[in-house]
Amino acid sequence: MRPAQALIDLEALRGNYRLARQLGGGKALAVIKADAYGHGAVACARALEAEADGFGVACIEEALELRQAGIRKPVVLLEGFFDAAELALIVEHDLWTAAASPWQVEALAAFSTDARLQVWLKLDSGMHRLGLSVDEFRAAHARLSALPHIAPMVLMSHMARADELDSPRTLEQLQTFNRAIDGLPGETSLCNSPALLGWPQVRSDWVRPGLMLYGADPLYPQPSAHAARLRPVMTLQSRVIAVREIGVGEPLGYGARFVAQRPTRVGVVAMGYADGYPQFAPNGTPVQIDGVPGQLIGRVSMDMLTIDLTDHPQAGLGSIVQLWGTSPTISELAPRCNTSAYRLPCSLKRTPRIYLSQ
Ligand SMILES: *Cc1c(COP(=O)(O)O)cnc(C)c1O
């Protein structure tokens, strides 16, 4: 059997969730959109269901997958619905929905039901992607609050630059939010992972941790005492399946991106970009070889990559190679590969996920 595996530590996931809720001081919506950032939404929801206050997903398809798997906790559609026809399903499956555009507010107002819809009304406080302007927000709040089929709403917004600790933008967005909600009843929801970890001034009744649940540090490389308490959830690993020696001046792999400057012992690892490992990881990208720091050399292929075993005489056929996890972390790896910690686990494909500590 191909030795590539993504180990998913569900106990670490629960620990990270507890940290997020503790930092937030209120309720925490575990954001498990995009198949829980590649970790498996149903498995992660099951692992968290006993303690999570609710789950955040991107769309109704993701929400229905959770309901079909028997998840009963609140599930919020963070982008709302894409079509008013989804409202019947939202009621049937007892989902909560964001309302982030004027047409969604219209559709909610026009919808007729005996149920009470749980709506998260979204303000554009400066990100300028989704959300209502301050005036639209206040008008929508007045209009929807007056309707019997709309339950008391959660007032939400999203931060664009909370991962930049020296940017004034986060506090500007906070001010805009506070101005927009002034005097309005309702719980608030503002904090994503970087806001939770880096901005104690920004708090809300509901926080919405995503990346940090999976143990990655969105503030990296800025130092953060809280982020140091996160535990990586996914370990991507495989094994050395072939070993060879190449002489000085000999090229390695496609395009001869690596040329040996010394007699070099090369290990071939069953892991490639078709598994989600970054294709353009440069020579020298850190890996761990049987628990010891080592380096990638040569271009990453679809199904394989190569590492330098010259300084690892004990390592050989069958050695375990960690591509990401505790070391390197995805936060360390991402900038070296011109990608982001968000994207690395989301890219996981083909490699089976093995769940530890259900
Ligand atoms: C994805 C998402 C989050 C989670 O963001 P992280 O940076 O991963 O913590 C929170 N809120 C909304 C609206 C989102 O779409």
Side-chain angles (χ1 to χ4, degrees), residues 81-172:
F81 43 93
F82 297 84
D83 184 321
E86 287 172 25
L87 286 169
L89 281 172
I90 287 173
V91 168
E92 182 185 338
H93 295 278
D94 196 16
L95 305 173
W96 298 6
T97 181
S101 297
W103 75 265
Q104 289 174 329
V105 173
E106 291 300 318
L108 283 167
F111 186 61
S112 132
T113 174
D114 297 333
R116 291 192 96 196
L117 287 163
Q118 302 277 348
V119 175
W120 287 38
L121 194 63
K122 184 164 183 175
L123 174 77
D124 173 10
S125 58
M127 179 150 178
H128 302 325
R129 188 181 58 178
L130 288 182
L132 305 169
S133 70
V134 173
D135 290 345
E136 288 168 343
F137 184 87
R138 294 188 68 89
H141 191 278
R143 178 159 176 222
L144 294 178
S145 303
L147 298 173
H149 67 280
I150 306 286
M153 282 173 282
V154 174
L155 316 176
M156 79 179 288
S157 192
H158 195 47
M159 293 296 181
R161 299 182 67 179
D163 56 337
E164 299 168 56
L165 296 179
D166 55 358
S167 166
R169 191 61 177 165
T170 297
L171 295 182
E172 287 167 15

Coordinates of all heavy atoms in Angstrom, one line a residue, residues 81-172:
F81 N -27.5 32.2 1.5 CA -28.0 31.3 0.4 C -27.7 32.0 -0.9 O -27.5 33.2 -1.0 CB -29.5 31.1 0.6 CG -30.3 32.3 1.0 CD1 -30.9 33.1 0.0 CD2 -30.4 32.8 2.3 CE1 -31.5 34.3 0.3 CE2 -31.1 33.9 2.6 CZ -31.7 34.7 1.6
F82 N -27.6 31.1 -1.9 CA -27.3 31.6 -3.3 C -28.5 31.8 -4.1 O -28.4 32.4 -5.2 CB -26.3 30.6 -3.9 CG -25.0 30.5 -3.2 CD1 -24.9 29.7 -2.1 CD2 -23.9 31.3 -3.5 CE1 -23.7 29.6 -1.4 CE2 -22.7 31.3 -2.8 CZ -22.6 30.4 -1.8
D83 N -29.7 31.4 -3.6 CA -30.9 31.4 -4.3 C -32.0 31.3 -3.3 O -31.9 30.5 -2.4 CB -30.9 30.1 -5.2 CG -32.0 30.0 -6.1 OD1 -33.2 30.4 -5.7 OD2 -31.8 29.6 -7.3
A84 N -33.1 32.1 -3.5 CA -34.2 32.1 -2.5 C -34.8 30.7 -2.4 O -35.4 30.4 -1.3 CB -35.2 33.1 -2.9
A85 N -34.7 29.9 -3.4 CA -35.2 28.5 -3.3 C -34.6 27.7 -2.2 O -35.2 26.7 -1.8 CB -35.1 27.8 -4.7
E86 N -33.4 28.1 -1.7 CA -32.8 27.4 -0.7 C -33.4 27.6 0.7 O -33.2 26.9 1.6 CB -31.3 27.8 -0.5 CG -30.4 27.3 -1.7 CD -29.0 27.9 -1.6 OE1 -28.5 28.3 -0.6 OE2 -28.4 27.9 -2.7
L87 N -34.3 28.6 0.8 CA -34.9 29.0 2.1 C -35.7 27.8 2.6 O -35.7 27.6 3.9 CB -35.7 30.3 2.0 CG -34.8 31.5 1.9 CD1 -35.6 32.7 1.6 CD2 -34.0 31.7 3.3
A88 N -36.4 27.1 1.8 CA -37.3 26.0 2.2 C -36.4 24.9 2.9 O -36.7 24.3 3.9 CB -38.1 25.4 1.1
L89 N -35.2 24.7 2.2 CA -34.3 23.7 2.8 C -33.7 24.2 4.1 O -33.4 23.4 5.0 CB -33.1 23.4 1.8 CG -33.5 22.5 0.6 CD1 -32.3 22.4 -0.3 CD2 -33.7 21.0 1.2
I90 N -33.4 25.4 4.2 CA -32.9 26.0 5.4 C -33.8 25.8 6.6 O -33.4 25.4 7.7 CB -32.6 27.5 5.2 CG1 -31.3 27.6 4.3 CG2 -32.4 28.3 6.5 CD1 -31.0 29.0 3.8
V91 N -35.1 26.0 6.3 CA -36.1 25.7 7.4 C -36.2 24.2 7.7 O -36.1 23.8 8.8 CB -37.5 26.3 6.9 CG1 -38.6 25.8 7.9 CG2 -37.5 27.8 6.9
E92 N -36.3 23.4 6.6 CA -36.4 22.0 6.8 C -35.3 21.4 7.6 O -35.5 20.5 8.5 CB -36.5 21.3 5.4 CG -36.7 19.8 5.5 CD -36.7 19.2 4.1 OE1 -36.9 19.9 3.1 OE2 -36.4 18.0 4.0
H93 N -34.1 21.9 7.4 CA -32.9 21.3 8.1 C -32.4 22.1 9.2 O -31.4 21.9 9.8 CB -31.8 21.0 7.1 CG -32.2 20.0 6.0 ND1 -32.1 18.6 6.3 CD2 -32.7 20.1 4.8 CE1 -32.5 18.0 5.2 NE2 -32.9 18.8 4.3
D94 N -33.2 23.1 9.6 CA -33.0 23.9 10.8 C -31.6 24.5 10.7 O -30.8 24.4 11.6 CB -33.1 23.0 12.0 CG -33.2 23.8 13.3 OD1 -33.5 25.0 13.2 OD2 -33.0 23.3 14.4
L95 N -31.3 25.2 9.6 CA -30.0 25.8 9.4 C -30.1 27.3 9.7 O -31.2 27.9 9.7 CB -29.5 25.7 8.0 CG -29.4 24.2 7.5 CD1 -29.1 24.1 6.0 CD2 -28.4 23.4 8.3
W96 N -29.0 27.9 10.1 CA -28.9 29.4 10.3 C -28.3 30.0 9.1 O -27.4 29.4 8.5 CB -28.1 29.7 11.5 CG -28.7 29.1 12.8 CD1 -29.8 28.3 13.0 CD2 -28.2 29.4 14.1 NE1 -30.0 28.0 14.3 CE2 -29.0 28.7 15.0 CE3 -27.2 30.2 14.7 CZ2 -28.8 28.7 16.4 CZ3 -27.0 30.2 16.0 CH2 -27.8 29.5 16.9
T97 N -28.7 31.2 8.7 CA -28.1 31.8 7.5 C -27.6 33.2 7.7 O -28.3 34.0 8.4 CB -29.1 31.7 6.3 OG1 -28.4 32.3 5.2 CG2 -30.4 32.5 6.6
A98 N -26.5 33.5 7.1 CA -26.1 34.9 7.0 C -27.0 35.6 6.0 O -27.5 35.0 5.1 CB -24.6 35.0 6.6
A99 N -27.1 36.9 6.2 CA -27.7 37.8 5.1 C -26.7 38.9 4.9 O -26.5 39.7 5.8 CB -29.1 38.3 5.6
A100 N -26.1 38.8 3.7 CA -25.0 39.7 3.5 C -25.1 40.6 2.3 O -24.3 41.4 2.0 CB -23.7 38.8 3.3
S101 N -26.3 40.5 1.6 CA -26.5 41.3 0.4 C -28.0 41.8 0.5 O -28.9 41.1 1.0 CB -26.4 40.5 -0.9 OG -25.0 40.1 -1.0
P102 N -28.3 42.9 -0.1 CA -29.6 43.5 -0.1 C -30.7 42.4 -0.6 O -31.8 42.3 -0.1 CB -29.6 44.7 -0.9 CG -28.2 45.2 -0.7 CD -27.3 44.0 -0.7
W103 N -30.3 41.7 -1.7 CA -31.3 40.8 -2.2 C -31.6 39.6 -1.3 O -32.7 39.1 -1.3 CB -30.8 40.2 -3.6 CG -29.8 39.2 -3.6 CD1 -28.4 39.4 -3.7 CD2 -29.9 37.8 -3.4 NE1 -27.8 38.2 -3.6 CE2 -28.7 37.2 -3.4 CE3 -31.0 37.0 -3.2 CZ2 -28.4 35.8 -3.2 CZ3 -30.8 35.6 -3.0 CH2 -29.5 35.0 -3.0
Q104 N -30.6 39.3 -0.4 CA -30.9 38.2 0.5 C -31.8 38.8 1.6 O -32.7 38.0 2.1 CB -29.6 37.7 1.2 CG -28.7 36.9 0.2 CD -27.3 36.6 0.8 OE1 -26.8 37.3 1.6 NE2 -26.8 35.4 0.4
V105 N -31.7 40.0 2.0 CA -32.6 40.6 3.0 C -34.0 40.6 2.4 O -35.0 40.3 3.1 CB -32.1 42.0 3.3 CG1 -33.2 42.8 4.2 CG2 -30.8 42.0 4.0
E106 N -34.1 41.0 1.1 CA -35.4 41.0 0.4 C -36.1 39.6 0.5 O -37.2 39.5 0.8 CB -35.3 41.4 -1.0 CG -34.9 42.9 -1.3 CD -35.9 43.8 -0.7 OE1 -37.2 43.6 -0.8 OE2 -35.5 44.8 -0.1
A107 N -35.3 38.6 0.1 CA -35.8 37.3 0.0 C -36.2 36.8 1.4 O -37.3 36.1 1.5 CB -34.7 36.3 -0.6
L108 N -35.5 37.1 2.4 CA -35.9 36.7 3.8 C -37.2 37.4 4.2 O -38.0 36.7 4.8 CB -34.8 37.1 4.8 CG -33.5 36.2 4.8 CD1 -32.4 36.8 5.6 CD2 -33.9 34.8 5.4
A109 N -37.3 38.7 3.9 CA -38.5 39.4 4.2 C -39.7 38.8 3.5 O -40.8 38.7 4.1 CB -38.3 40.9 3.9
A110 N -39.5 38.4 2.2 CA -40.6 38.0 1.4 C -41.0 36.5 1.7 O -42.1 36.1 1.3 CB -40.3 38.1 -0.1
F111 N -40.1 35.8 2.4 CA -40.4 34.4 2.6 C -41.5 34.1 3.6 O -41.6 34.9 4.6 CB -39.1 33.7 3.1 CG -39.1 32.2 3.2 CD1 -39.3 31.4 2.1 CD2 -38.9 31.6 4.4 CE1 -39.3 30.0 2.2 CE2 -38.9 30.2 4.5 CZ -39.1 29.4 3.4
S112 N -42.3 33.1 3.4 CA -43.3 32.9 4.3 C -43.2 31.5 4.9 O -43.0 30.5 4.2 CB -44.7 33.1 3.6 OG -45.5 32.0 3.8
T113 N -43.2 31.5 6.2 CA -43.0 30.2 7.0 C -43.6 30.4 8.4 O -43.7 31.5 8.9 CB -41.5 29.9 7.1 OG1 -41.3 28.7 7.9 CG2 -40.7 31.0 7.6
D114 N -43.9 29.2 9.0 CA -44.3 29.2 10.4 C -43.1 29.1 11.3 O -43.3 29.4 12.5 CB -45.3 28.0 10.7 CG -46.5 28.1 9.8 OD1 -46.9 29.2 9.5 OD2 -47.1 27.0 9.5
A115 N -42.0 28.8 10.7 CA -40.8 28.6 11.5 C -40.2 30.0 11.8 O -40.7 31.0 11.2 CB -39.8 27.8 10.8
R116 N -39.2 30.1 12.6 CA -38.5 31.4 12.9 C -37.0 31.2 12.3 O -36.3 30.3 12.8 CB -38.4 31.7 14.3 CG -39.8 32.1 14.9 CD -39.6 32.8 16.2 NE -39.6 34.2 16.2 CZ -39.2 35.0 17.1 NH1 -38.7 34.5 18.2 NH2 -39.2 36.3 17.0
L117 N -36.7 32.0 11.4 CA -35.3 31.9 10.8 C -34.3 32.6 11.7 O -34.5 33.7 12.2 CB -35.3 32.6 9.4 CG -36.1 31.8 8.3 CD1 -36.4 32.7 7.1 CD2 -35.2 30.6 7.9
Q118 N -33.2 31.9 11.8 CA -32.0 32.4 12.6 C -31.1 33.1 11.6 O -30.5 32.4 10.8 CB -31.3 31.3 13.3 CG -32.1 30.5 14.3 CD -32.3 31.1 15.6 OE1 -31.6 32.1 15.9 NE2 -33.2 30.7 16.4
V119 N -31.0 34.4 11.7 CA -30.3 35.2 10.7 C -29.1 35.8 11.3 O -29.2 36.4 12.4 CB -31.2 36.2 10.0 CG1 -30.4 37.1 9.0 CG2 -32.4 35.5 9.3
W120 N -27.9 35.7 10.6 CA -26.7 36.5 11.0 C -26.6 37.6 10.0 O -26.3 37.4 8.8 CB -25.5 35.6 11.0 CG -25.4 34.6 12.1 CD1 -26.5 33.9 12.7 CD2 -24.3 34.2 12.9 NE1 -26.0 33.1 13.7 CE2 -24.7 33.3 13.8 CE3 -22.9 34.5 12.8 CZ2 -23.8 32.7 14.7 CZ3 -22.0 33.9 13.7 CH2 -22.5 33.0 14.7
L121 N -26.9 38.8 10.4 CA -26.9 40.0 9.5 C -25.5 40.5 9.4 O -24.9 40.9 10.4 CB -27.9 41.0 10.1 CG -28.3 42.2 9.1 CD1 -29.1 41.6 7.9 CD2 -29.2 43.2 9.9
K122 N -25.1 40.6 8.2 CA -23.6 40.9 8.0 C -23.4 42.3 7.5 O -23.9 42.7 6.5 CB -23.0 39.9 7.0 CG -21.5 40.1 6.8 CD -20.9 38.9 6.1 CE -19.4 39.0 6.0 NZ -18.8 37.8 5.5
L123 N -22.5 43.0 8.2 CA -22.1 44.4 7.9 C -20.8 44.3 7.1 O -19.9 43.6 7.5 CB -21.9 45.1 9.2 CG -21.3 46.6 9.0 CD1 -22.4 47.5 8.5 CD2 -20.7 47.1 10.3
D124 N -20.7 45.2 6.1 CA -19.4 45.4 5.5 C -18.7 46.5 6.3 O -19.1 47.7 6.1 CB -19.6 45.8 4.0 CG -18.3 46.3 3.4 OD1 -17.2 46.1 4.0 OD2 -18.4 46.8 2.2
S125 N -17.8 46.2 7.2 CA -17.2 47.2 8.0 C -15.9 47.6 7.4 O -15.1 48.4 8.0 CB -16.9 46.6 9.4 OG -16.1 45.4 9.3
G126 N -15.6 47.2 6.1 CA -14.4 47.7 5.5 C -13.6 46.7 4.6 O -12.7 47.0 3.9
M127 N -14.1 45.5 4.6 CA -13.4 44.5 3.8 C -13.9 44.6 2.3 O -13.2 44.3 1.4 CB -13.8 43.1 4.3 CG -13.1 42.0 3.5 SD -12.8 40.5 4.4 CE -12.1 39.5 3.2
H128 N -15.1 45.1 2.2 CA -15.7 45.4 0.8 C -15.8 44.1 0.0 O -15.4 44.2 -1.2 CB -14.9 46.5 0.2 CG -14.9 47.8 1.0 ND1 -16.0 48.2 1.7 CD2 -14.0 48.7 1.1 CE1 -15.7 49.3 2.3 NE2 -14.5 49.7 2.0
R129 N -16.2 43.0 0.6 CA -16.4 41.8 -0.2 C -17.9 41.6 -0.1 O -18.7 42.0 -0.9 CB -15.5 40.7 0.3 CG -15.6 39.5 -0.6 CD -14.7 38.4 0.0 NE -15.1 38.0 1.4 CZ -14.5 37.0 2.1 NH1 -13.5 36.3 1.6 NH2 -14.9 36.8 3.3
L130 N -18.3 40.9 1.0 CA -19.8 40.7 1.3 C -20.1 41.7 2.4 O -19.3 42.1 3.2 CB -20.1 39.3 1.7 CG -20.0 38.2 0.6 CD1 -20.5 36.9 1.2 CD2 -20.9 38.6 -0.6
G131 N -21.4 41.9 2.6 CA -21.9 42.6 3.7 C -22.7 43.9 3.3 O -22.5 44.4 2.2
L132 N -23.5 44.4 4.2 CA -24.4 45.5 3.9 C -23.6 46.8 4.4 O -22.9 46.7 5.4 CB -25.7 45.4 4.7 CG -26.5 44.1 4.4 CD1 -27.6 44.0 5.4 CD2 -27.0 44.1 3.0
S133 N -23.9 47.9 3.7 CA -23.3 49.2 4.2 C -24.0 49.5 5.6 O -25.0 48.9 5.9 CB -23.6 50.3 3.2 OG -25.0 50.6 3.2
V134 N -23.4 50.5 6.3 CA -24.0 50.8 7.6 C -25.5 51.2 7.4 O -26.3 50.7 8.2 CB -23.2 52.0 8.2 CG1 -23.9 52.5 9.5 CG2 -21.8 51.6 8.5
D135 N -25.8 52.0 6.5 CA -27.2 52.4 6.3 C -28.1 51.2 5.9 O -29.2 51.0 6.5 CB -27.4 53.5 5.2 CG -26.8 54.8 5.7 OD1 -26.5 54.9 6.9 OD2 -26.5 55.7 4.9
E136 N -27.6 50.4 5.0 CA -28.4 49.2 4.6 C -28.6 48.3 5.8 O -29.7 47.7 6.0 CB -27.7 48.4 3.5 CG -27.7 49.1 2.1 CD -26.7 48.4 1.2 OE1 -25.8 47.6 1.6 OE2 -26.9 48.6 0.0
F137 N -27.5 48.2 6.6 CA -27.5 47.3 7.8 C -28.6 47.7 8.8 O -29.4 46.9 9.2 CB -26.2 47.3 8.4 CG -26.0 46.3 9.5 CD1 -25.6 45.0 9.3 CD2 -26.1 46.7 10.8 CE1 -25.4 44.1 10.4 CE2 -25.9 45.9 11.9 CZ -25.6 44.6 11.7
R138 N -28.6 49.0 9.1 CA -29.6 49.4 10.1 C -31.0 49.3 9.5 O -31.9 49.0 10.3 CB -29.2 50.9 10.5 CG -27.9 50.9 11.3 CD -27.6 52.3 11.9 NE -28.5 52.6 13.0 CZ -28.3 52.3 14.3 NH1 -27.2 51.7 14.6 NH2 -29.2 52.6 15.2
A139 N -31.2 49.6 8.3 CA -32.5 49.5 7.7 C -33.0 48.1 7.7 O -34.1 47.8 8.0 CB -32.5 50.1 6.3
A140 N -32.0 47.2 7.3 CA -32.4 45.8 7.2 C -32.7 45.2 8.6 O -33.6 44.4 8.8 CB -31.2 45.0 6.6
H141 N -32.0 45.7 9.6 CA -32.2 45.3 11.0 C -33.6 45.7 11.4 O -34.4 44.9 12.0 CB -31.2 45.8 11.9 CG -31.2 45.2 13.3 ND1 -32.1 45.6 14.2 CD2 -30.5 44.2 13.8 CE1 -31.9 44.8 15.3 NE2 -30.9 44.0 15.1
A142 N -34.0 46.9 11.1 CA -35.3 47.4 11.5 C -36.4 46.6 10.8 O -37.4 46.1 11.4 CB -35.4 48.9 11.2
R143 N -36.2 46.4 9.5 CA -37.2 45.7 8.8 C -37.4 44.2 9.2 O -38.5 43.8 9.4 CB -36.8 45.8 7.3 CG -37.7 45.1 6.4 CD -37.6 45.6 5.0 NE -38.4 44.9 4.1 CZ -38.1 44.5 2.9 NH1 -36.9 44.8 2.4 NH2 -38.9 43.8 2.1
L144 N -36.3 43.5 9.3 CA -36.4 42.1 9.6 C -36.8 41.8 11.0 O -37.5 40.9 11.3 CB -35.0 41.4 9.3 CG -34.6 41.3 7.8 CD1 -33.2 40.7 7.7 CD2 -35.6 40.6 7.0
S145 N -36.4 42.7 11.9 CA -36.7 42.5 13.4 C -38.2 42.6 13.6 O -38.8 42.0 14.5 CB -36.1 43.6 14.2 OG -34.8 43.6 14.1
A146 N -38.9 43.3 12.7 CA -40.3 43.5 12.8 C -41.1 42.3 12.3 O -42.3 42.3 12.5 CB -40.8 44.8 12.1
L147 N -40.5 41.4 11.7 CA -41.2 40.2 11.1 C -41.2 39.0 12.0 O -40.2 38.7 12.6 CB -40.5 39.8 9.8 CG -40.5 40.9 8.7 CD1 -39.6 40.5 7.5 CD2 -41.9 41.3 8.3
P148 N -42.4 38.4 12.2 CA -42.6 37.3 13.1 C -41.7 36.1 12.7 O -41.4 35.3 13.6 CB -44.1 37.0 13.1 CG -44.6 37.6 11.8 CD -43.7 38.8 11.5
H149 N -41.4 35.9 11.5 CA -40.7 34.7 11.1 C -39.2 34.9 11.2 O -38.4 34.0 10.7 CB -41.1 34.2 9.7 CG -40.7 35.1 8.6 ND1 -41.4 36.2 8.2 CD2 -39.7 35.0 7.7 CE1 -40.8 36.8 7.1 NE2 -39.8 36.1 6.8
I150 N -38.7 36.0 11.7 CA -37.3 36.2 11.9 C -37.0 36.3 13.4 O -37.5 37.2 14.1 CB -36.8 37.5 11.2 CG1 -37.2 37.6 9.7 CG2 -35.3 37.7 11.4 CD1 -36.5 36.7 8.8
A151 N -36.1 35.4 13.9 CA -35.7 35.4 15.3 C -34.7 36.5 15.5 O -34.2 37.1 14.6 CB -35.0 34.0 15.6
P152 N -34.5 36.9 16.8 CA -33.5 37.9 17.1 C -32.2 37.6 16.3 O -31.7 36.5 16.4 CB -33.3 37.8 18.6 CG -34.6 37.3 19.1 CD -35.1 36.4 18.0
M153 N -31.6 38.6 15.7 CA -30.5 38.4 14.8 C -29.1 38.5 15.5 O -29.0 39.2 16.4 CB -30.6 39.3 13.6 CG -31.6 39.0 12.6 SD -31.8 40.2 11.3 CE -32.8 41.4 12.2
V154 N -28.2 37.8 14.9 CA -26.8 38.0 15.3 C -26.2 39.0 14.4 O -26.4 39.0 13.1 CB -26.0 36.7 15.2 CG1 -24.5 36.9 15.5 CG2 -26.5 35.6 16.2
L155 N -25.4 40.0 14.9 CA -24.9 41.1 14.1 C -23.4 40.7 13.8 O -22.6 40.6 14.8 CB -24.9 42.4 14.9 CG -26.3 42.6 15.6 CD1 -26.2 43.9 16.5 CD2 -27.4 42.7 14.6
M156 N -23.1 40.5 12.6 CA -21.8 40.0 12.2 C -21.0 40.9 11.3 O -21.6 41.7 10.5 CB -21.8 38.6 11.7 CG -22.2 38.5 10.2 SD -22.3 36.8 9.6 CE -20.5 36.4 9.5
S157 N -19.7 40.8 11.3 CA -18.8 41.4 10.3 C -17.5 40.6 10.2 O -17.3 39.7 11.0 CB -18.5 42.9 10.6 OG -18.0 43.5 9.4
H158 N -16.7 40.9 9.2 CA -15.5 40.1 9.0 C -14.3 41.0 8.8 O -14.4 42.0 8.2 CB -15.8 39.2 7.7 CG -14.8 38.1 7.6 ND1 -14.5 37.2 8.6 CD2 -14.1 37.6 6.5 CE1 -13.6 36.3 8.1 NE2 -13.4 36.5 6.9
M159 N -13.2 40.6 9.4 CA -12.0 41.4 9.4 C -11.1 41.0 8.2 O -10.8 39.9 7.9 CB -11.2 41.1 10.7 CG -11.9 41.6 11.9 SD -12.0 43.4 11.8 CE -12.9 43.7 13.4
A160 N -10.6 42.1 7.5 CA -9.8 41.8 6.3 C -8.3 41.7 6.6 O -7.5 41.1 5.9 CB -10.0 43.0 5.4
R161 N -7.8 42.3 7.7 CA -6.3 42.4 7.9 C -5.9 42.1 9.3 O -4.9 42.6 9.8 CB -5.9 43.8 7.5 CG -6.1 44.1 6.0 CD -5.6 45.5 5.6 NE -4.2 45.5 5.6 CZ -3.4 46.6 5.3 NH1 -4.1 47.7 4.9 NH2 -2.1 46.6 5.3
A162 N -6.7 41.3 10.0 CA -6.4 41.0 11.4 C -5.1 40.3 11.6 O -4.5 40.2 12.7 CB -7.5 40.3 12.1
D163 N -4.6 39.7 10.5 CA -3.3 38.9 10.6 C -2.1 39.9 10.5 O -1.0 39.5 10.7 CB -3.2 37.9 9.5 CG -3.4 38.5 8.1 OD1 -4.0 39.6 8.0 OD2 -2.9 37.9 7.1
E164 N -2.4 41.2 10.3 CA -1.3 42.2 10.3 C -1.3 43.0 11.6 O -2.1 43.9 11.7 CB -1.4 43.1 9.1 CG -1.4 42.4 7.7 CD -1.8 43.3 6.6 OE1 -1.2 44.4 6.4 OE2 -2.8 42.9 5.9
L165 N -0.5 42.6 12.5 CA -0.6 43.2 13.8 C -0.3 44.7 13.8 O -0.6 45.4 14.8 CB 0.3 42.5 14.8 CG -0.2 41.0 15.0 CD1 0.8 40.3 16.0 CD2 -1.6 40.9 15.5
D166 N 0.4 45.2 12.8 CA 0.7 46.6 12.8 C -0.2 47.4 11.9 O 0.0 48.6 11.6 CB 2.2 46.8 12.3 CG 2.4 46.2 10.9 OD1 1.5 45.5 10.4 OD2 3.5 46.3 10.4
S167 N -1.3 46.8 11.4 CA -2.2 47.6 10.6 C -3.3 48.2 11.4 O -3.9 47.6 12.3 CB -2.9 46.6 9.6 OG -4.0 47.3 9.0
P168 N -3.6 49.5 11.1 CA -4.7 50.2 11.9 C -6.1 49.7 11.4 O -7.1 50.1 12.0 CB -4.5 51.7 11.5 CG -3.8 51.7 10.2 CD -2.9 50.4 10.2
R169 N -6.1 49.0 10.4 CA -7.4 48.7 9.7 C -8.4 47.9 10.6 O -9.6 48.1 10.5 CB -7.1 47.9 8.4 CG -8.3 47.7 7.5 CD -8.8 49.1 7.1 NE -9.9 48.9 6.2 CZ -10.8 49.9 5.8 NH1 -10.6 51.1 6.3 NH2 -11.7 49.7 5.0
T170 N -7.8 47.0 11.5 CA -8.7 46.2 12.3 C -9.5 47.1 13.2 O -10.7 46.9 13.4 CB -7.9 45.1 13.0 OG1 -7.3 44.3 12.0 CG2 -8.7 44.3 13.9
L171 N -8.8 48.0 13.9 CA -9.5 48.9 14.8 C -10.5 49.8 14.1 O -11.5 50.2 14.6 CB -8.5 49.6 15.7 CG -7.7 48.7 16.6 CD1 -6.8 49.5 17.6 CD2 -8.6 47.8 17.5
E172 N -10.1 50.2 12.9 CA -11.0 51.0 12.1 C -12.3 50.2 11.8 O -13.4 50.7 11.9 CB -10.4 51.4 10.7 CG -9.3 52.5 10.9 CD -8.5 52.7 9.6 OE1 -8.9 52.2 8.5 OE2 -7.4 53.3 9.8

